[in-house]
Amino acid sequence: MTFKDLRDYIEFMKKRNKLIEVDEEVNVDLEIAEITRKATYAHLPPLLFKRIKNYENWKIISNVFYSMESLYEIFGTNKLESISEGFLSNLSNMPITFFDKIKSLREILGLGKVMPKAKTPSFKEEKNLDLAKIPAIKTWPKDAGRYLTFSITITKDPETDVHNLSVYRIQILNEKEAIIHWQAFKRGALTAKRYLEKGTTRIPIAIVTGVDPAIAFTAASPVPHGIDKYMFAGILRGEGVDVTELDDKLLVPSHSEVVLTGYVDLNDMRLEGPFGDHMGYYTPADYYPVFKLEKVYIREDPIFHVTSVGKPPLEDAWIGKAVERIFLPFAKMLVPELVDMNLPEYGLFTGIGIFSIKKYYPGQAKRVMMALWGTGQLSLLKTIIIVDQDIDVHDINQVIYAIAANVDPKRDVWVIENALTDSLDPSVPFPPLGSKLGIDATRKFKEEMGKEWPEEVRSDEGVAKKADEIINKIIKRYQTS
């Protein structure tokens, strides 16, 4: 399924009777966020708020990623792994030089279909609009102010021209200024460092709101550094993104509802926060760079996309589960013994990761931990649990059994200090550095244990077959009695 834009998606959901139109007047100050959270917890479909207090002619959509079902609708499949499996199946004939020059992608894989395409924009410049007149929301009572919560920050690498699209929370300060909360590990912050290396402290950026949900999902996903997110969005959509080049040479989605352009001033750092985030706690105030607005573009009767975060499972949890499925084939390519992974929605995406492996040699579980902690967004995982391939990582009771039966704490529990961690983690005393926990819940080789692993109990096949026949008869009699 490919949507041209956010409006196309809304029409699709309307036809399926899966769009809730809210006619009551609502306030951007806490009310929309509270209603959105309650809707997500109740597994309701997207909400379209049609009457926004003090923001006439605006609509707000929220709860787009309301469950895993929402991702199946957006991508047109309930096997999300198949999206990336199809792409990776072409890698077998790819020369290593691909990783050096992104331009070879089109030639080697025939990916012209999924590359971005220049199109006439649906938006127009609006000179009488500023940040104060945009319906950014306040999500929790002690937040520092109103925030853009599902707007997409677009930057371009000064050397490679690779575009990055990322979702960062953005605190509105006044009509012309806002603070961009990009953490040190995020692609926006790394792009900023590249500009600094070239002696530039003003980074051209665009902030867009209201796009095809597949593009929004891409922006929220941990696409590896160096890969253009427009290209990756095209892979997920099966069709290239329509883009428009702005005066600053940045490409933005042509059918965005709102486009804000300007620059981030790295010499102007101000306190951002506090903000109630997806951990369920307020993030303390810290210094981040300021965005300076220069131009605003909007569509007629704009639709503003927001989200509300808090304790799971909210929208970010389902985005994280979809990332888990779509990126599993990539993880398997980097860690060949990997069988499956589970980033539990209550594990806060970077808190806990459970991985099953085909175990061939002693020490393999710790080797896999090190590989995972060195891989993209997985490097932020606080706790990694490794189990054998016969354990279903999505069945928490099976995982608990593996820990209970296979783990000797002194031998199999590994604590690493002063490692990169999620800056939003409230338990970390000196972010972004914290500790990590690795648990090897695999069965052990003799070299690991000092003796042979005990034999697992197994039923006699003949006895088990007869017992099945008898128990099935018993169940049938019981159900009909």
Side-chain angles (χ1 to χ4, degrees), residues 195-230:
Y195 277 94
L196 278 175
E197 288 170 356
K198 291 181 168 292
T200 302
T201 58
R202 289 168 50 135
I203 304 171
I205 73 166
I207 300 171
V208 306
T209 309
V211 296
D212 164 22
I215 301 173
F217 173 85
T218 303
S221 299
V223 177
H225 301 302
I227 295 180
D228 194 298
K229 281 203 174 182
Y230 278 124

Side-chain angles (χ1 to χ4, degrees), residues 26-29 32 52-61 124-138 145-152 170-178 206-210 256-262 291-299 301-306:
V26 289
N27 199 318
V28 297
D29 188 0
I32 288 174
I52 317 300
K53 186 176 181 179
N54 299 326
Y55 295 92
E56 191 177 352
N57 299 323
W58 286 85
K59 295 184 182 71
I60 286 180
I61 189 167
K124 294 181 179 179
E125 186 175 357
E126 177 55 66
K127 296 185 181 296
N128 296 320
L129 199 59
D130 57 42
L131 294 174
K133 296 173 183 174
I134 290 173
I137 65 171
K138 184 175 182 179
R146 294 191 302 120
Y147 277 78
L148 306 179
T149 55
F150 218 128
S151 296
I152 299 168
I170 300 173
Q171 181 185 338
I172 305 297
L173 295 178
N174 51 51
E175 291 85 353
K176 297 291 183 181
E177 296 178 318
I207 300 171
V208 306
T209 309
S256 303
E257 296 289 325
V258 183
V259 179
L260 312 172
T261 66
F291 165 68
K292 309 293 178 75
L293 178 68
E294 293 180 323
K295 290 183 180 180
V296 178
Y297 304 84
I298 65 167
R299 293 182 67 168
D301 298 322
I303 304 169
F304 202 73
H305 184 191
V306 306

Side-chain angles (χ1 to χ4, degrees), residues 34-248:
E34 185 71 20
I35 294 167
T36 295
R37 286 193 297 271
K38 291 183 183 301
T40 313
Y41 288 139
H43 304 292
L44 296 176
L47 307 176
L48 183 66
F49 298 95
K50 298 166 72 175
R51 293 178 58 209
I52 317 300
K53 186 176 181 179
N54 299 326
Y55 295 92
E56 191 177 352
N57 299 323
W58 286 85
K59 295 184 182 71
I60 286 180
I61 189 167
S62 70
N63 203 32
V64 169
F65 301 97
Y66 63 90
S67 68
M68 283 304 292
E69 186 178 350
S70 70
L71 279 304
Y72 302 154
E73 291 162 346
I74 290 167
F75 293 113
T77 177
N78 59 5
K79 189 176 186 296
L80 299 177
E81 301 96 311
S82 64
I83 300 172
S84 46
E85 284 172 350
F87 167 69
L88 290 175
S89 66
N90 293 314
L91 283 176
S92 57
N93 296 321
M94 181 178 294
I96 281 197
T97 52
F98 161 72
F99 296 101
D100 298 325
K101 291 187 177 180
I102 201 73
K103 290 180 181 178
S104 66
L105 200 69
R106 184 194 301 264
E107 300 166 8
I108 296 169
L109 296 181
L111 286 183
K113 180 184 176 185
V114 300
M115 299 300 278
K117 298 173 175 59
K119 287 292 175 69
T120 302
S122 301
F123 50 76
K124 294 181 179 179
E125 186 175 357
E126 177 55 66
K127 296 185 181 296
N128 296 320
L129 199 59
D130 57 42
L131 294 174
K133 296 173 183 174
I134 290 173
I137 65 171
K138 184 175 182 179
T139 58
W140 292 101
K142 294 184 180 180
D143 283 358
R146 294 191 302 120
Y147 277 78
L148 306 179
T149 55
F150 218 128
S151 296
I152 299 168
T153 299
I154 300 175
T155 56
K156 185 171 68 171
D157 188 285
E159 296 179 354
T160 65
D161 286 343
V162 166
H163 277 73
N164 177 52
L165 288 72
S166 290
V167 177
Y168 307 123
R169 70 186 196 225
I170 300 173
Q171 181 185 338
I172 305 297
L173 295 178
N174 51 51
E175 291 85 353
K176 297 291 183 181
E177 296 178 318
I179 306 175
I180 307 280
H181 183 277
W182 56 33
Q183 298 174 55
F185 182 72
K186 301 298 184 180
R187 282 177 56 153
L190 293 176
T191 300
K193 287 181 171 58
R194 288 181 180 267
Y195 277 94
L196 278 175
E197 288 170 356
K198 291 181 168 292
T200 302
T201 58
R202 289 168 50 135
I203 304 171
I205 73 166
I207 300 171
V208 306
T209 309
V211 296
D212 164 22
I215 301 173
F217 173 85
T218 303
S221 299
V223 177
H225 301 302
I227 295 180
D228 194 298
K229 281 203 174 182
Y230 278 124
M231 184 201 71
F232 198 84
I235 293 170
L236 297 185
R237 300 170 82 241
E239 183 177 305
V241 177
D242 292 344
V243 294
T244 298
E245 186 175 81
L246 301 177
D247 295 340
D248 54 12

Side-chain angles (χ1 to χ4, degrees), residues 342-409:
N342 178 18
L343 304 176
E345 55 266 32
Y346 285 93
L348 301 170
F349 193 48
T350 57
I352 298 173
I354 306 166
F355 302 83
S356 58
I357 64 169
K358 294 180 180 179
K359 187 172 179 181
Y360 299 112
Y361 51 84
Q364 188 175 2
K366 282 188 177 179
R367 176 190 173 279
V368 169
M369 290 179 200
M370 290 186 281
L372 294 171
W373 274 323
T375 303
Q377 192 84 357
L378 295 176
S379 66
L380 298 180
L381 277 171
K382 179 162 60 175
T383 302
I384 287 180
I385 302 169
I386 307 292
V387 296
D388 289 296
Q389 63 178 317
D390 59 339
I391 298 296
D392 181 358
V393 295
H394 305 284
D395 184 337
I396 297 301
N397 283 332
Q398 287 193 37
V399 175
I400 291 172
Y401 170 77
I403 294 173
N406 299 350
V407 173
D408 174 72

